[in-house]
Amino acid sequence: MEDISIQICGIGKSWGKVRALHDIRLEIGKGELFGLIGPDGAGKTTLIRILASLLLPGSGTASVEGYDVVKDYRKIRDITAYMPGRFSLYQDLTVAENLSFFATIFGTTLKENYHLIRDIYVQLEAFSNRPAGKLSGGMKQKLALCCALIHQPQVLLLDEPTTGVDAISRAEFWEMLRRLKTQGITILVSTAYMDEAALCDRIALIQEGSILKTDIPSAIPGDYPRRLYAISAKQMYRLLKDLQQMPAVFTAYLSGQHIHFSLNPDFPEPGLIAMLLEKSGHEGIQIREVVPGIEDSFIALMKGESV
Amino acid sequence: MRTIGFLIQKEFLQIFRNRSMLPIIFAVPVVQLIIIVHAATFEMKSIRLFVVDHDRSVLTREVCDKFRGSGFFRITGYSDLDRDGEQGMKQREADAIVVFPADFEKQVSMGRDARFQLIVNAINGSAGGLIHAYTQSVVQDMNHNLRKESGLISMETRPQQIDLTYTFWYNPELNYQTFMVPGILVILVTVISLLLSGMNIVKEKEIGTIEQVNVSPIRKYQFIAGKLIPTLLIALFELAFGLGVGKLLFDIPLEGNLLLVFFAAAVYSCVILGLGLLVSTMTGTQQQAMFVSFFFMIVFILMSGLFTAAENMPDWAQWLNHLNPVAYFIRIIRMVLLKGSGFTDIRPDLFALALLAVLSITLAVRRYRKTV
């Protein structure tokens, strides 16, 4: 990595006795699309708010484009854009009014920087006189992104931008991010959706305020320590309960339509499991081996295994 | 400056886009002036009187006529049983009872002192006092007539008298509306300033826009100025509108310099805006802000001397009133509008208001820095 855009050195933050972040260390390169992946309450929002200069870190230091988030917060506000998870534009102002408001308070104009947002804004142009509060979820997201980009930021901080947005809009949104990346903007995006992790250049898995692992998305499941199987049967819930009680089973959890499970090292064969389950009355059992995904790695990491 | 100008423009855009805002701005002053000014009065025009007459004589009837003729009383019950009188009072059919003893007329005709009793519903103490005073004047009038009739007052025996002549200044007709309208205008400016400023910033917190503004290079003072100046302008507009309505509907006197009134109003509005800002830094939702604002507003207004004379309050309350901006402004606006006081007359009050303005805005801005 030649050029570092965001550097986080041992950032910690506590709310009273609750530890939100603990000794976070990350380096994000210029022009990188970096994903912060973790469940709700993992500390993603806290970390992003610290980088956006909205929160003071409890300990440690962090810098964005070489500017310290505490000392040089004014400079940071010039060069970064922050898009909170909740839609936070003026609902009673129109699309165009919101845009020109955010352009003005960043000391620029819509005309001057129109080229930055043209690709996204063309989809909104038909609604430019509609109050922002009356837009659909996907449209709101596009408008928020336009407002964030209007002052030509070098760093874009996105906090769960796709939460509560339909699948098509989510795909479109990630397409927009990829295009922004080609303009050299560093993007830090947090999400709770594991499937979005694969769309990032690199990801960090975060859980209970600590980073579990940082790598390129394809490398993370490669280190999965065991063979992983997908199983389905008629009564999925009872199946899960039964699996979790078997001594041979190491982990079992729901994953989409199936249950993913892995076995203790002494039981290398899943065939025995199927027999046992049939005996206890399960019907329509289907087992196949699957390639572990990021989610599987994440669950393994959460249990404290080293992957 | 350009940024502040733009913020103000945005603020007005939002205010006027809010459908309930325009009716509030124009309807509230008119409704408040019309309703409160007409309704809130201490003059008692029809005191309901229950007569318990054990005497049933010509004289008692004469006294009753005097009561009726005075213009203050209305006789709503007549009986010769004490019980009926009590009943009337309990059922809210009478504000006062007069009881004539059985030998009332006889005593008078024999040239002796006669007594009759007045029982007043004094739940509202000052109203009770007024009823007593009115009754007193009716009885005095009665005595005067009696002496004349019995020839006690002849030219020779007339005692020396000291006569008092009087004029009522500033409100010669003792018009209660003249007294109330300026006060109501103060309430208007207060409500608009406090609610608009307090609610406005909390609303930005609630919908999260304040963070979007905070991550921009905009300065805090620019943001605050962009919030306070529109509210100040609206409050002053309300005052002008209210003054116009007051002049048209109630013909209140406008003795003093109106510019001075508006100058004082601007200073006063700054105090209230500071308070509103302070409330909005301490609260997270519009509902909380509303409750806190109402608490302050009610205490300030009730202690301000709007309805009751602040000078009659106990010492500790008067001392507390040194911190009450409403009290200062009510005094100022009444002085300038009704008395025609000039700048030097109101200087101490104006100075105190300016001090409070600096205090409240400084406090609010400091807290705002820490919390948001």
Side-chain angles (χ1 to χ4, degrees):
Chain A
M1 203 183 311
E2 321 93 56
D3 273 328
I4 292 168
S5 171
I6 301 175
Q7 184 155 37
I8 303 170
C9 301
I11 286 282
K13 178 81 188 174
S14 297
W15 306 107
K17 279 189 179 160
V18 182
R19 208 171 60 179
L21 288 177
H22 176 64
D23 195 27
I24 301 283
R25 287 169 196 281
L26 271 182
E27 278 180 355
I28 298 169
K30 281 204 171 124
E32 206 174 1
L33 173 51
F34 192 93
L36 200 56
I37 319 286
D40 291 342
K44 305 188 295 286
T45 301
T46 309
L47 184 59
I48 287 186
R49 284 167 57 88
I50 286 174
L51 292 177
S53 80
L54 282 171
L55 268 184
L56 292 174
S59 57
T61 58
S63 65
V64 176
E65 296 288 327
Y67 298 109
D68 187 87
V69 290
V70 181
K71 277 207 309 277
D72 311 317
Y73 73 96
R74 299 194 59 83
K75 196 70 199 154
I76 289 203
R77 290 176 181 183
D78 280 331
I79 57 165
T80 58
Y82 164 63
M83 196 175 130
R86 196 166 58 117
F87 181 69
S88 308
L89 300 178
Y90 292 100
Q91 316 243 2
D92 48 353
L93 295 184
T94 65
V95 170
E97 284 162 353
N98 264 300
L99 261 178
S100 72
F101 175 75
F102 283 102
T104 311
I105 63 173
F106 277 97
T108 176
T109 59
L110 182 55
K111 219 183 232 166
E112 199 177 315
N113 281 346
Y114 183 72
H115 63 280
L116 294 170
I117 57 163
R118 191 179 45 225
D119 287 351
I120 309 166
Y121 192 60
V122 284
Q123 307 172 48
L124 284 168
E125 215 134 36
F127 307 104
S128 64
N129 283 322
R130 187 179 287 195
K134 297 219 160 74
L135 293 174
S136 68
M139 287 289 179
K140 278 182 182 165
Q141 222 54 6
K142 282 172 194 150
L143 175 59
L145 191 59
C146 284
C147 289
L149 291 171
I150 192 69
H151 66 285
Q152 196 161 15
Q154 295 168 33
V155 177
L156 188 55
L157 304 169
L158 305 168
D159 190 12
E160 304 203 15
T162 52
T163 300
V165 175
D166 71 73
I168 293 171
S169 296
R170 267 172 64 190
E172 277 178 8
F173 193 82
W174 277 92
E175 186 49 43
M176 284 187 270
L177 293 189
R178 306 262 0 148
R179 237 176 293 153
L180 285 174
K181 192 184 117 67
T182 62
Q183 296 174 16
I185 300 178
T186 307
I187 303 172
L188 173 63
V189 54
S190 79
T191 181
Y193 298 124
M194 301 289 167
D195 54 331
E196 290 180 345
L199 303 168
C200 302
D201 293 338
R202 280 197 312 146
I203 57 172
L205 301 177
I206 181 169
Q207 158 78 5
E208 284 175 0
S210 295
I211 297 219
L212 303 176
K213 195 174 173 72
T214 309
D215 212 329
I216 58 170
S218 56
I220 284 183
D223 303 336
Y224 197 77
R226 290 172 305 277
R227 298 174 77 175
L228 190 70
Y229 304 94
I231 184 170
S232 60
K234 276 199 175 148
Q235 290 174 288
M236 291 296 277
Y237 183 69
R238 193 158 74 89
L239 181 64
L240 183 63
K241 287 274 148 229
D242 288 348
L243 276 170
Q244 281 169 345
Q245 272 165 13
M246 285 183 182
V249 172
F250 186 78
T251 53
Y253 47 85
L254 275 169
S255 174
Q257 303 287 322
H258 300 87
I259 290 167
H260 282 188
F261 72 96
S262 62
L263 298 172
N264 278 323
D266 343 349
F267 295 87
E269 268 305 309
L272 186 66
I273 300 290
M275 272 168 59
L276 285 169
L277 287 171
E278 258 169 25
K279 255 186 198 165
S280 57
H282 283 283
E283 290 170 23
I285 297 170
Q286 286 187 324
I287 298 184
R288 65 189 162 85
E289 188 169 351
V290 287
V291 180
I294 291 169
E295 193 174 356
D296 299 302
S297 302
F298 190 76
I299 287 168
L301 284 165
M302 272 164 51
K303 294 202 161 172
E305 287 183 76
S306 58
V307 178
Chain B
M1 264 335 271
R2 208 181 73 87
T3 315
I4 297 181
F6 189 78
L7 285 170
I8 294 173
Q9 190 191 332
K10 169 226 142 205
E11 214 55 48
F12 273 118
L13 199 64
Q14 283 186 296
I15 290 170
F16 290 120
R17 188 156 296 169
N18 186 341
R19 273 163 208 272
S20 53
M21 211 49 226
L22 282 182
I24 287 176
I25 289 177
F26 289 103
V28 167
V30 180
V31 172
Q32 279 200 344
L33 280 173
I34 292 176
I35 293 182
I36 305 184
V37 169
H38 278 304
T41 167
F42 281 141
E43 292 168 45
M44 305 199 64
K45 280 189 183 134
S46 61
I47 301 161
R48 291 163 306 177
L49 199 62
F50 197 103
V51 179
V52 176
D53 191 352
H54 297 297
D55 197 32
R56 289 188 175 275
S57 61
V58 180
L59 186 58
T60 58
R61 216 163 305 139
E62 226 170 88
V63 178
C64 288
D65 286 343
K66 269 271 177 273
F67 274 114
R68 248 187 237 117
S70 71
F72 296 119
F73 295 95
R74 198 153 52 90
I75 291 175
T76 52
Y78 189 90
S79 167
D80 53 4
L81 293 172
D82 289 336
R83 210 178 44 234
D84 290 347
E86 270 171 50
Q87 197 66 27
M89 185 92 100
K90 275 191 185 140
Q91 291 175 344
R92 292 187 63 245
E93 280 158 10
D95 303 309
I97 309 169
V98 280
V99 186
F100 295 105
D103 56 352
F104 185 65
E105 191 181 40
K106 201 168 133 207
Q107 296 282 346
V108 173
S109 61
M110 287 167 70
R112 277 190 238 142
D113 282 355
R115 290 168 189 281
F116 72 100
Q117 189 187 18
L118 173 76
I119 302 164
V120 182
N121 170 9
I123 285 180
N124 180 341
S126 56
L130 273 178
I131 293 175
H132 175 238
Y134 289 151
T135 314
Q136 200 79 284
S137 75
V138 170
V139 174
Q140 256 167 27
D141 206 24
M142 193 76 205
N143 280 340
H144 194 72
N145 288 354
L146 277 175
R147 289 205 195 103
K148 237 199 254 168
E149 275 168 28
S150 57
L152 275 177
I153 306 174
S154 58
M155 272 322 191
E156 302 87 61
T157 55
R158 185 174 176 167
Q160 300 283 316
Q161 269 193 16
I162 298 172
D163 273 341
L164 178 68
T165 63
Y166 54 86
T167 43
F168 293 114
W169 276 18
Y170 310 128
N171 185 2
E173 290 152 29
L174 298 184
N175 188 343
Y176 195 68
Q177 293 168 353
T178 306
F179 176 70
M180 279 309 281
V181 170
I184 300 297
L185 292 177
V186 173
I187 303 303
L188 263 178
V189 176
T190 313
V191 172
I192 292 286
S193 304
L194 191 58
L195 292 189
L196 273 188
S197 65
M199 297 302 123
N200 195 315
I201 293 176
V202 174
K203 188 176 158 204
E204 298 236 359
K205 265 198 215 173
E206 253 180 9
I207 57 176
T209 42
I210 203 161
E211 294 217 316
Q212 291 288 293
V213 174
N214 281 348
V215 293
S216 75
I218 218 166
R219 305 292 296 260
K220 291 259 151 98
Y221 80 86
Q222 292 173 323
F223 181 71
I224 292 176
K227 285 285 174 199
L228 297 194
I229 292 171
T231 320
L232 181 66
L233 292 178
I234 291 178
L236 292 183
F237 172 80
E238 282 290 281
L239 179 62
F241 184 66
L243 272 174
V245 173
K247 182 76 196 160
L248 279 178
L249 289 184
F250 304 107
D251 197 28
I252 52 159
L254 305 174
E255 293 291 336
N257 187 345
L258 281 182
L259 275 179
L260 191 58
V261 172
F262 279 95
F263 178 68
V267 177
Y268 170 71
S269 194
C270 286
V271 183
I272 302 298
L273 291 175
L275 272 178
L277 186 61
L278 192 64
V279 167
S280 68
T281 59
M282 295 188 301
T283 54
T285 65
Q286 293 190 62
Q287 198 184 33
Q288 291 168 2
M290 191 81 130
F291 276 118
V292 178
S293 300
F294 260 97
F295 170 77
F296 277 116
M297 214 152 65
I298 286 178
V299 173
F300 280 163
I301 289 174
L302 287 183
M303 289 185 64
S304 67
L306 171 63
F307 299 109
T308 55
E311 289 76 14
N312 299 344
M313 293 193 303
D315 284 345
W316 60 265
Q318 293 203 32
W319 188 85
L320 272 182
N321 247 353
H322 287 305
L323 294 172
N324 184 352
V326 185
Y328 289 110
F329 189 42
I330 283 196
R331 205 152 53 220
I332 290 176
I333 200 169
R334 278 183 182 149
M335 281 170 81
V336 178
L337 285 185
L338 309 184
K339 280 202 217 170
S341 300
F343 178 74
T344 37
D345 305 315
I346 62 166
R347 195 165 50 191
D349 285 335
L350 200 56
F351 188 71
L353 267 188
L355 207 69
L356 283 178
V358 172
L359 196 74
S360 79
I361 289 187
T362 316
L363 218 72
V365 170
R366 286 184 63 156
R367 236 200 100 86
Y368 178 77
R369 285 227 178 98
K370 268 188 206 155
T371 52
V372 191

